[in-house]
Amino acid sequence: MSAWVLPDHIADVLPSEARHIEELRRLYLDTARGYGYELVMPPLLEYLESLLSGTGRALDLQTFKLVDQLSGRTLGLRADTTPQVARIDAHLLNRAGVTRLCYCGPVLHTRPDRPFATREPLQFGAEIYGHAGIEADLEVLHLALDTLKAVSIHQFTVDLSDARIVPALLIGVTLTADARDALHSALAAKDTSGVQALSKDLPAHVRTALVALVDMYGDASVLAQAEKTFAAWPVVLQALAELRQIAADLSGVAITFDLADLRGYAYYSGVRFAIFVPGASDALVRGGRYDEVGAVFGRKRPAVGFSLDLKELVSVVPERALKAAIRAPWGTAQGLREAIATLRANGETVVCVMPGHESEVDEFDCDRELIEVAGQWAVQAVPAVQAL
C-alpha cells in the first residue's frame, strides 16, 4: 500500500474547502458569542471512564480506545464533545446559575454513521446549563436556526421528538439491555413487524402503544393522535404539550414530528430536534435536552444543546468568493518590505510573487497590485483582463 493512502472515510481538507470551513468556524463561534455563549476547548482524548460515563453503548462503540503509556490506563478519543462539556460545567466551572458554553473541534468515529460520511467530523456545538424550563430549549433551537441563516440557508425543516416517550411507555416493564436496544432500533426504523415481535411478551396495553408509535410521524396532526393514544401516560402528555409549545414558537418554520425517533446518543432526556436542509443526506443539526448527562460527574444539571459537523455543512452551502488580495513583487529593497509590512498590519493580504511564477492561479483574488511609482510603492487596481 502506498504511504500516502489514508484510512477509509478519512480525508485531507485542501485549501479552498479548508478556507471555507475556517470561515464558517469563526462565523459560528461569533454567532454563539452573540447569544452569550463562552468558548471552551476540551482535550481530544481523556480517560475512557470519564469520556463515556452516562453516554450509553452507542457512543462506546464509536470511540477509539488506546493505552496511556504514562499511566497504563485506557484512554478514549472523543466521539462526541457533549460529555466533556458537561464535565467542565460540573467540575471546573461549578457555577450555581445559568452557564452557556460553545465549542468547535474534531471528533473521531470508529465507523462512519452513514454511507460516505467522514469518520473525523469537525463538531461545532452550543450548550446551556442550569435552566430546566422550556425557555432553554427554545433558545438553543433558535441559535441553531440562526447558525443556518448566517450562511444563507433559509430552506429547512425542523423535526421534533421527545426522548421521554418510549421510557414512559416501558415503565414497569422488564427488558434486557439488548432487548431494549433492539426495540429502540425497530421503532427508529419504523419496523412494525419488528416492534410486534419484540413486544409480544409485554403487557397488551404497552404492546398496543408501541405499535401505534411506529406510525406517529408527520405534521401537527400527529400530536392530536398521540394525545388520544397515550392518554393513560401523564409523562407522555407532558412531552406532547412541550412539543406543541415549541412548534407554536417557531413561526414560519416548516415543522414535522417523529415521536419514535430514537437515533443518536443515549443521554437525551427530553425534547429532541433534528434540522434537515436540501442537499444533506441526513439531518444537518441534531440537539435536545440531556438533563442526566452531568449526573455521573456528581452534579446533575439541566442541560440543552445542539451540534453539527462543519465539514458536512460546507458541502451544502454556496462557496464563498475568494479573498481579495494584493499582488506584490518579491524583493529585498527596504522600501518594498516596509510597504508590504504596512499593508499586512492594516489587515490586507499581500501575496509576493516568486520570480518566474507571475501567472499562477492561487486561492486569492489578486484584484490589486503593489507597484513602484516615482520611487514610491503604491497600490493600484489590476485591470480586469489581467486579474488572476
Side-chain angles (χ1 to χ4, degrees), residues 52-275:
L52 296 181
S53 294
T55 61
R57 186 160 38 172
L59 197 60
D60 184 11
L61 295 175
Q62 279 285 52
T63 301
F64 281 101
K65 304 170 181 70
L66 64 157
V67 175
D68 183 7
Q69 297 300 308
L70 296 181
S71 67
R73 296 172 62 184
T74 303
L75 303 176
L77 295 171
R78 67 175 178 228
D80 182 49
T81 313
T82 291
Q84 295 182 296
V85 179
R87 174 180 54 76
I88 289 173
D89 173 71
H91 281 294
L92 299 183
L93 296 178
N94 199 29
R95 296 172 180 170
V98 169
T99 299
R100 294 175 171 89
L101 301 174
C102 64
Y103 57 86
C104 188
V107 296
L108 293 169
H109 294 163
T110 56
R111 296 176 179 272
D113 57 12
R114 59 187 177 282
F116 309 112
T118 179
R119 289 196 288 163
E120 190 188 13
L122 182 61
Q123 189 180 55
F124 167 82
E127 303 177 10
I128 181 169
Y129 294 86
H131 185 72
I134 199 171
E135 296 85 359
D137 302 76
L138 289 170
E139 177 175 295
V140 163
L141 187 45
H142 280 286
L143 173 55
L145 294 176
D146 280 351
T147 62
L148 298 181
K149 294 173 185 176
V151 291
S152 300
I153 295 178
H154 299 288
Q155 290 185 331
F156 44 73
T157 299
V158 177
D159 191 66
L160 296 174
S161 60
D162 197 295
R164 291 170 289 184
I165 294 176
V166 174
L169 297 179
L170 294 176
I171 287 178
V173 173
T174 301
L175 286 173
T176 65
D178 288 340
R180 191 176 294 266
D181 288 346
L183 181 58
H184 287 177
S185 297
L187 286 167
K190 308 293 183 288
D191 180 4
T192 301
S193 60
V195 172
Q196 290 173 333
L198 292 165
S199 63
K200 61 183 177 63
D201 295 327
L202 301 183
H205 69 292
V206 175
R207 183 172 63 253
T208 300
L210 290 171
V211 172
L213 187 62
V214 173
D215 295 322
M216 290 187 182
Y217 59 92
D219 59 23
S221 64
V222 167
L223 298 183
Q225 176 188 356
E227 287 165 348
K228 295 178 181 178
T229 303
F230 305 130
W233 285 273
V235 172
V236 178
L237 294 181
Q238 179 185 349
L240 296 174
E242 291 185 13
L243 291 176
R244 278 193 182 279
Q245 187 174 347
I246 290 174
D249 187 82
L250 299 178
S251 177
V253 176
I255 298 173
T256 58
F257 300 88
D258 186 351
L259 303 187
D261 182 11
L262 297 167
R263 291 173 293 177
Y265 301 132
Y267 48 68
Y268 285 107
S269 62
V271 172
R272 300 178 56 189
F273 63 86
I275 305 177

Side-chain angles (χ1 to χ4, degrees), residues 20 29 31 51 55 65 97 106 111 137 144 159-161 172 192 197 217 229 277 313 325-326 330 332 338 341 362 379:
H20 198 177
L29 290 177
T31 301
L51 199 61
T55 61
K65 304 170 181 70
R111 296 176 179 272
D137 302 76
D159 191 66
L160 296 174
S161 60
T192 301
Y217 59 92
T229 303
V277 304
L313 174 69
I326 299 170
W330 173 261
T332 59
E338 289 177 354
D362 53 33
V379 176

